[in-house]
């Protein structure tokens, strides 16, 4: 069964929507939902603590740290890392378990945005392709727990790009699959910064990493652009 691990920081607007969606979309194969909070100052903690099916876990801030913290206590055989603003498809848990039974120990869903911009629609189409350059954290990530621990989990040096970094290591295992169902994710960063500014930022981060930039350099570049 699945352990769902949701890293959060000030997600009072998104978390209730996600938890409600999980209750409707699940096929009943969820062992636990672990919400790992990196120090929220809004109502996120209260929302999680009040939900009868959620285990609330405080953590140091940083998605890699938070996801590793959640994984360290997870009881399910499969770990499913999910962002608070991403809604997986109907019966997502059954779909994931079916792939694991086929020998695919890690993978994600193809992704679409909740914004009907032509460029974002095109980016969504690329996520159908099972190639590392088409991957990202908003597509969610499932991985067999034993494999997750075998590769050392998330690299906590990364404050951004942590999903791509672990996915790169998973691809080397040649067991990564893309499930042909849609997860819907929020385009809130695109909405705030603008589609082209946001896309340029992601391209810059990608190429900086390809050229050997450190985790700290990636974060510094991201932080400057997002908070400019």
């Amino acid at each position: 069964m699945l352990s769902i691990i949701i890293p959060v920081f000030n997600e009072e607007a998104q978390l209730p929507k996600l938890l409600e969606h999980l209750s409707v979309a699940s096929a009943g194969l969820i062992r636990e939902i672990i919400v790992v909070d990196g120090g929220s100052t809004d109502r996120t903690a209260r929302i999680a603590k009040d939900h009868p099916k959620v285990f609330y876990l405080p953590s140091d801030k940083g998605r890699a740290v938070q996801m590793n913290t959640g994984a360290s206590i997870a009881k399910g055989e499969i770990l499913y890392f999910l962002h608070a603003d991403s809604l997986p498809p109907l019966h997502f848990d059954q779909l994931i378990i079916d792939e694991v039974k086929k020998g695919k120990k890690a993978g994600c869903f193809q992704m679409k945005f909740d914004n009907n911009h032509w460029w974002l629609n095109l980016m969504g189409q690329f996520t159908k392709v099972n190639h590392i350059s088409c991957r990202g954290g908003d597509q969610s990530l499932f991985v067999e727990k034993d494999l997750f621990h075998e590769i050392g989990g998330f690299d906590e040096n990364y404050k951004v790009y942590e999903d791509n970094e672990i996915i790169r290591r998973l691809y080397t295992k040649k067991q990564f699959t893309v499930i042909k169902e849609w997860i819907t994710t929020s385009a809130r960063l695109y909405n705030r910064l603008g589609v082209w500014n946001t896309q340029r930022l992601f391209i810059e981060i990608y190429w900086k990493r390809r050229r050997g930039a450190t985790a700290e350099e990636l974060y510094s570049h991201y932080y400057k652009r997002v908070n400019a």
Side-chain angles (χ1 to χ4, degrees):
M1 297 183 78
L2 266 65
S3 289
I4 302 178
I5 300 168
I6 307 168
V8 295
F9 179 76
N10 288 346
E11 292 287 4
E12 65 177 7
Q14 297 292 336
L15 188 57
K17 300 176 187 177
L18 174 58
L19 295 177
E20 174 62 25
H21 178 81
L22 293 177
S23 68
V24 173
S26 169
L29 300 173
I30 299 172
R31 175 154 188 177
E32 59 193 348
I33 301 172
I34 304 170
V35 172
V36 190
D37 188 1
S40 295
T41 56
D42 63 359
R43 295 183 58 254
T44 296
R46 179 49 52 198
I47 291 167
K49 289 176 180 178
D50 287 347
H51 196 284
K53 296 183 179 180
V54 168
F55 181 82
Y56 174 81
L57 184 62
S59 167
D60 291 336
K61 187 180 178 183
R63 273 209 301 247
V65 175
Q66 290 169 240
M67 290 188 284
N68 281 343
T69 299
S72 71
I73 68 162
K75 298 181 177 66
E77 298 86 1
I78 304 168
L79 307 178
Y80 183 44
F81 299 98
L82 182 64
H83 291 182
D85 62 350
S86 296
L87 305 178
L90 183 65
H91 295 169
F92 65 93
D93 44 353
Q94 183 68 68
L95 292 168
I96 290 170
I97 289 172
D98 288 346
E99 291 301 317
V100 172
K101 287 180 178 178
K102 296 175 187 176
K104 300 298 185 180
K105 295 184 177 182
C108 65
F109 291 100
Q110 57 192 30
M111 183 201 75
K112 60 182 178 180
F113 289 99
D114 62 0
N115 181 323
N116 194 30
H117 188 282
W118 71 268
W119 178 259
L120 299 184
N121 290 339
L122 179 60
M123 291 300 97
Q125 293 300 313
F126 281 124
T127 68
K128 295 179 178 181
V129 180
N130 192 0
H131 189 275
I132 191 170
S133 63
C134 299
R135 303 279 71 82
D138 288 331
Q139 298 165 37
S140 70
L141 173 67
F142 73 85
V143 55
E144 220 175 39
K145 184 163 62 175
D146 288 346
L147 176 58
F148 178 81
H149 291 302
E150 176 187 329
I151 66 171
F154 288 89
D155 186 336
E156 296 182 5
N157 291 310
Y158 286 83
K159 296 180 181 178
V160 298
Y161 206 74
E162 73 287 336
D163 297 295
N164 300 72
E165 195 281 327
I166 194 173
I167 289 170
R168 177 186 60 80
R169 285 183 279 135
L170 288 170
Y171 261 93
T172 66
K173 298 294 183 178
K174 302 186 184 304
Q175 296 171 327
F176 199 97
T177 190
V178 179
I179 300 175
K180 301 305 181 184
E181 296 289 342
W182 296 101
I183 186 170
T184 303
T185 194
S186 171
R188 56 184 173 178
L189 186 61
Y190 287 91
N191 295 337
R192 180 159 72 88
L193 300 183
V195 169
W196 305 119
N197 287 335
T198 306
Q199 195 61 53
R200 184 177 70 176
L201 171 60
F202 289 151
I203 291 171
E204 289 169 347
I205 292 291
Y206 174 80
W207 281 109
K208 281 180 178 293
R209 180 67 187 91
R210 286 287 300 270
R211 293 170 181 168
T214 65
E216 186 56 42
E217 288 170 339
L218 296 181
Y219 176 70
S220 176
H221 184 78
Y222 179 88
Y223 185 85
K224 288 176 183 177
R225 286 296 184 88
V226 170
N227 294 283

